[in-house]
Amino acid sequence: MLNKGHDRVLLVDDDLELGRGLAHVLSSEGFICDRAANGTEASAMLAETDYDVLVTDLRMPILNGHALSVATLRKTPRPLVVILTAVIEPRLAADLLIRGVDDVLFKPVSATHLATKLKALLVRRKVMEPYGRTATTVSAADLEARLADVRYALPVSQVALEVIRLTGTEEASMSALAEVLSRDPSLTVEVLRLANSHFYAGSAAKTTDIEQAIVRIGTRRLAEIAAATSALVGIAGRRFTWLDTSLLWRQSAAAGIAMSLLLEHAHLSDHGGLFVSALTHDLGRIVLGTLYPGIYELLARSCAASGETLLVEEDRCFPSRHCEVMASILSKWGFPATVFQPLRHSLSGYEALSNLGEPLRTKVELCKAAAFLGRLAVGRFEAWDLVEPIPGSVLARLNVRACRDLVSRTRANLARIDDAGKQPTTSDSVSSGGTAPPNVGYVSLASRRGDFLPGILESLGLAVEEAEPECLATDRYVVVNCLDVPAKRLVPYIGSGLFADTRLIVTDSRHLDDYKSLGTAVSVPASCAALRAACDGVARAQLAKHERTQSQGYDFHGSGANSVRCPVGRSLG
């Protein structure tokens, strides 16, 4: 192998004249520059020489640049890999960046600009070398540098960008906007869906006229919808080893629908930005995962081992939360602060929001509520998701009463979106070859306004059967909703307390210690994994008690069809 001297670049392009010009400038900038005309020739040179940077075109004879790049990324150690291409295809660029390519540049490109870019990438690699694939922290400066160009981290279609541009100028006639929208069928469908929703249409007749739809929504809202919908469509084809993007797609789409339904009840004179906030609530995680793929693989493994939320793991590593990152991107796209400001606070706890002034507080609460309702409508949480039910006091402030109806309507609307049918409805809910899910009694001593716990339990693979408080004094497997309820309210129902091991009490952190002697107690907010583990522990306790009772020759005194029907040893996790 040849020894390295100065930074050595391998430039691969079948355009020989372009290659000569670029190589000449790179050499004058201090690089040692070698050239190859195709991928096969480049592969042989990479095997013989330790290059610092590979710059390659995509479309080439014999072995194309995509295959060459992917093979080079597998090398340890490997050179920086930069794509230089005339193929303007955001999804292809996004795929390469997810795989680990360091940058994508489009032709025509200034040779001097290329040299500057390569020097910056080399400096950044030296700064990031201490992190490697075991990174635990990312500096604010590094994150900001990587966010300087987010076109490929979260691609937005040219149609959406044109809509955003037009709505900010005097050229934004209805006919001009309708003509641009007609080039993007998925965006057109979303605009018509929203224009015909109760929030925008009221009692008016449904319309299929795109110009009339734009009038109903308004040009400012149209720009928000274009950006958010295009970004959401952009993630549909993404593949991460640590993230189910099809699930994230459905959760984001459902959050947008839930926001539309929530706004029918909310008393807000200006709801600007709320739809885009709901729809893009989790997309900042896609951006961070694209920019730091190795780090996120580690974070996902850490969550699996610890049962922690991904949010907690992210806070240990990144200077900004993913919603704040998404707010920064919306700012870079030219939206005013009133549009993205709710996102900056939407991962704060509900108690912290009381410090915000109005109308910001209400907007943030709506954003959080829409994200949570969207997850319930989809019916599945990731193990690392934060389970944070909406407090009854917040629901009262937002004028929301029929919460289960909101979830049902969100689910029904999600099913009607054409593109949703293309998304796999995968689920990690408990399944055992078609056998019935574990049956759990459910008792609520908490406020009936916004009782979301049954929906959460069902997402864990439990068949929830509502019961009367009197069953708490039996050995039936029961989950008790004691959110915001003092322990003394439960005591009269539990009798002698002999069945504490088959009783799961869900409460808040303020009351957790008081409940520990009355049963297995878990507080929310908590990770989905923690709640699932608590359910699993109580299910095992009842199964063990059932086995002991049978082995002693006594009849099992469960309540027949209400007893746990899962096989011995089956885990809810």
Side-chain angles (χ1 to χ4, degrees):
M1 301 285 286
L2 296 178
N3 294 323
K4 292 196 291 185
H6 298 293
D7 292 322
R8 185 179 289 271
V9 178
L10 176 58
L11 183 62
V12 189
D13 201 311
D14 59 337
D15 186 334
L16 300 182
E17 184 176 348
L18 174 64
R20 276 194 298 269
L22 292 176
H24 175 73
V25 174
L26 290 176
S27 298
S28 68
E29 293 285 340
F31 292 97
I32 298 172
C33 193
D34 296 332
R35 292 167 51 211
N38 57 63
T40 301
E41 185 180 333
S43 294
M45 296 173 71
L46 286 164
E48 292 296 322
T49 304
D50 289 333
Y51 286 98
D52 297 284
V53 186
L54 167 67
V55 179
T56 180
D57 191 11
L58 283 180
R59 288 180 176 171
M60 296 183 297
I62 307 178
L63 180 68
N64 63 48
H66 188 282
L68 173 65
S69 300
V70 171
T72 304
L73 291 170
R74 297 193 189 105
K75 293 179 176 291
T76 306
R78 69 164 178 85
L80 293 170
V81 178
V82 175
I83 305 297
L84 180 60
T85 179
V87 181
I88 302 178
E89 176 46 65
R91 290 193 180 183
L92 178 60
D95 174 71
L96 288 166
L97 286 165
I98 290 169
R99 291 173 181 267
V101 162
D102 296 279
D103 209 345
V104 179
L105 301 176
F106 290 131
K107 298 176 182 177
V109 65
S110 158
T112 303
H113 173 72
L114 175 61
T116 302
K117 173 67 76 171
L118 297 186
K119 288 177 182 178
L121 288 172
L122 287 163
V123 168
R124 188 173 75 182
R125 166 174 273 194
K126 290 180 174 64
V127 171
M128 290 298 292
E129 271 176 357
Y131 298 138
R133 292 185 65 81
T134 58
T136 54
T137 57
V138 171
S139 70
D142 184 74
L143 177 58
E144 184 57 35
R146 295 187 185 215
L147 286 175
D149 187 353
V150 297
R151 288 173 298 169
Y152 313 117
L154 195 65
V156 175
S157 73
Q158 292 299 315
V159 168
L161 291 174
E162 181 65 8
V163 168
I164 294 168
R165 186 193 69 78
L166 274 176
T167 53
T169 68
E170 295 180 359
E171 306 169 34
S173 68
M174 297 302 106
S175 59
L177 286 167
E179 191 278 324
V180 171
L181 278 176
S182 66
R183 303 178 211 153
D184 189 331
S186 63
L187 183 53
T188 301
V189 167
E190 183 62 19
V191 168
L192 287 170
R193 185 186 73 79
L194 286 172
N196 287 315
S197 68
H198 176 76
F199 181 75
Y200 285 106
S203 59
K206 292 187 179 298
T207 181
T208 58
D209 183 276
I210 192 63
E211 288 190 33
Q212 187 175 348
I214 294 170
V215 171
R216 285 184 184 179
I217 292 173
T219 56
R220 188 176 71 167
R221 300 291 177 266
L222 180 65
E224 297 170 11
I225 293 164
T229 303
S230 179
L232 187 59
V233 170
I235 74 168
R238 298 288 187 91
R239 293 292 179 268
F240 294 91
T241 58
W242 56 274
L243 179 67
D244 184 344
T245 51
S246 66
L247 174 62
L248 183 66
W249 187 97
R250 292 183 64 79
Q251 289 173 335
S252 298
I257 294 168
M259 178 60 80
S260 298
L261 298 175
L262 284 167
L263 289 174
E264 294 176 8
H265 305 277
H267 301 303
L268 271 180
S269 57
D270 178 17
H271 58 275
L274 284 178
F275 179 77
V276 70
S277 290
L279 203 61
T280 62
H281 185 267
D282 291 319
L283 299 194
R285 191 164 271 163
I286 291 286
V287 176
L288 289 173
T290 300
L291 298 178
Y292 300 95
I295 292 177
Y296 262 89
E297 289 175 10
L298 290 169
L299 296 186
R301 288 201 293 271
S302 179
C303 287
S306 67
E308 257 308 356
T309 65
L310 184 55
L311 182 60
V312 166
E313 297 289 350
E314 288 169 329
D315 283 348
R316 292 170 181 158
C317 185
F318 294 103
S320 300
R321 290 178 158 187
H322 62 84
C323 280
E324 294 171 327
V325 168
M326 193 64 226
S328 296
I329 291 173
L330 292 173
S331 175
K332 293 177 188 297
W333 284 345
F335 287 106
T338 52
V339 169
F340 56 76
Q341 199 174 20
L343 275 177
R344 295 199 183 279
H345 303 277
S346 65
L347 293 177
S348 300
Y350 280 103
E351 288 187 10
L353 301 184
S354 61
N355 298 320
L356 298 177
E358 290 293 357
L360 180 58
R361 176 184 176 181
T362 297
K363 287 185 174 183
V364 177
E365 288 175 344
L366 283 166
C367 189
K368 287 172 67 68
F372 181 69
L373 292 171
R375 276 169 164 72
L376 284 179
V378 171
R380 181 185 162 204
F381 289 74
E382 291 277 20
W384 61 49
D385 275 336
L386 179 68
V387 177
E388 187 182 19
I390 311 165
S393 59
V394 172
L395 291 169
R397 276 177 34 77
L398 300 180
N399 195 33
V400 175
R401 292 183 178 84
C403 297
R404 293 190 185 183
D405 179 59
L406 275 177
V407 173
S408 298
R409 290 173 64 193
T410 300
R411 185 178 294 130
N413 276 280
L414 181 63
R416 294 190 189 103
I417 298 177
D418 291 342
D419 285 344
K422 301 174 186 175
Q423 305 302 318
T425 55
T426 56
S427 174
D428 63 357
S429 295
V430 178
S431 176
S432 180
T435 59
N439 193 320
V440 56
Y442 177 75
V443 174
S444 178
L445 300 183
S447 167
R448 287 292 180 177
R449 182 191 281 270
D451 187 0
F452 299 108
L453 200 50
I456 296 170
L457 295 173
E458 287 168 359
S459 78
L460 302 182
L462 294 169
V464 178
E465 192 170 284
E466 299 198 25
E468 296 301 320
E470 287 69 27
C471 77
L472 295 173
T474 71
D475 58 358
R476 181 182 179 187
Y477 175 16
V478 179
V479 174
V480 196
N481 182 347
C482 292
L483 287 169
D484 234 2
V485 173
K488 63 182 181 181
R489 285 272 307 279
L490 177 62
V491 172
Y493 296 106
I494 61 177
S496 63
L498 290 176
F499 307 115
D501 55 349
T502 58
R503 185 184 306 124
L504 176 63
I505 302 165
V506 182
T507 186
D508 48 90
S509 58
R510 185 164 50 114
H511 295 104
L512 180 63
D513 289 340
D514 297 334
Y515 279 107
K516 287 182 177 177
S517 63
L518 305 178
T520 299
V522 61
S523 69
V524 292
S527 71
C528 186
L531 187 57
R532 181 175 293 182
C535 292
D536 186 39
V538 174
R540 287 180 184 277
Q542 190 181 27
L543 288 169
K545 180 174 288 188
H546 186 190
E547 288 181 324
R548 287 195 303 271
T549 303
Q550 288 183 323
S551 68
Q552 293 167 3
Y554 297 103
D555 291 334
F556 177 52
H557 294 293
S559 49
N562 291 329
S563 60
V564 174
R565 291 182 289 165
C566 57
V568 174
R570 175 176 169 188
S571 168
L572 297 182

